[in-house]
Amino acid sequence: IDALPSVSGSASGAIAANRAVLLKNDGTYEQVTGVNQNMGSVRSFFDRYSVIAGAYNPDLSNFAFLYQDIANSQYTTSVVGSISGTTITWGTPQVARSENPGRDTMAMTYDPSQDLYVGVTCQSGNSYKPRVLIGTASGTSISWNDSIGNPAFTNNTYCDWMDSCYNTTNNRNGLIYCNNSGQVVASEYTVTSNSVTVVGSDYAWNASGYGHSRICWDSTNGCYMTAAT
């Protein structure tokens, strides 16, 4: 009796002894081969940052990060990157808001209906309320509009541990965060280059004591999926 099970079949190409094999969909066996992995290039200004959020821009085929720049008074800052093979090319970092948010949290989405980046940060000078930043992308730069102020969220008092996503069905943005009571609050809004319009009222979980929250859009079932711990 064999100690291990055995199989037989036709080989697809040469198979060396003592090598792993895989069964192909045509019923033949092929030797498993590996590929070298590459982490791509890095950029030195990421040596000192705090908190980070990101979004992909399918129109320009690049992505952007939003982060607090420790080397520049913790200001909310953005940078755009593009990928070619295993190389990442970075644009010049740009300040999105000249204020230390005061909380270790921010969120970012890309709104393809408006061709805009949507960033959310805390406003430490106004009770840590969520503040929406609108970014217009061009190549590897983003022009930010920070003049919109605080949207009229119904629970617009203090935010922390936020997350956001884009609603592809209704062309809206979803936002979730924890307030100072530890309740999870969810909001929905639309944007233009110079305005934010809140859709309906915020929804706050009855329970409290949460410290992290996440949100995503389920396009199959037409609903937001949220989670918190």
Side-chain angles (χ1 to χ4, degrees), residues 28-205:
T28 62
Y29 291 89
E30 183 178 66
Q31 179 175 310
V32 176
T33 58
V35 294
N36 293 329
Q37 299 296 313
N38 192 307
M39 295 298 291
S41 60
V42 297
R43 183 65 182 265
S44 60
F45 59 78
F46 283 122
D47 288 347
R48 300 192 66 202
Y49 67 89
S50 176
V51 188
I52 192 166
Y56 177 70
N57 182 336
D59 297 319
L60 294 176
S61 297
N62 59 23
F63 59 94
F65 287 132
L66 200 65
Y67 62 98
Q68 289 176 220
D69 190 348
I70 294 177
N72 188 28
S73 303
Q74 299 275 8
Y75 287 171
T76 301
T77 304
S78 70
V79 66
V80 177
S82 59
I83 300 175
S84 177
T86 59
T87 301
I88 302 176
T89 302
W90 300 101
T92 302
Q94 297 164 280
V95 173
R97 176 166 176 75
S98 300
E99 180 188 41
N100 180 349
R103 290 290 179 268
D104 292 333
T105 182
M106 60 179 56
M108 189 177 190
T109 58
Y110 178 74
D111 188 329
S113 68
Q114 299 293 320
D115 194 20
L116 296 169
Y117 282 107
V118 183
V120 186
T121 186
C122 291
Q123 189 174 359
S124 58
N126 189 14
S127 302
Y128 303 103
K129 296 180 179 180
R131 187 178 183 97
V132 177
L133 315 174
I134 305 299
T136 302
S138 177
T140 58
S141 65
I142 303 177
S143 176
W144 289 98
N145 182 354
D146 181 34
S147 63
I148 295 172
N150 299 103
F153 297 128
T154 55
N155 284 281
N156 194 6
T157 56
Y158 184 97
C159 67
D160 208 351
W161 304 111
M162 66 176 68
D163 191 27
S164 63
C165 68
Y166 180 70
N167 177 335
T168 56
T169 303
N170 300 309
N171 298 324
R172 298 171 181 172
N173 292 272
L175 174 68
I176 194 169
Y177 59 91
C178 298
N179 64 18
N180 57 349
S181 298
Q183 283 184 299
V184 177
V185 181
S187 304
E188 189 179 42
Y189 59 97
T190 60
V191 301
T192 67
S193 59
N194 56 16
S195 67
V196 174
T197 302
V198 179
V199 179
S201 300
D202 297 349
Y203 176 80
W205 292 16

Side-chain angles (χ1 to χ4, degrees), residues 1-5:
I1 301 174
D2 290 340
L4 296 173

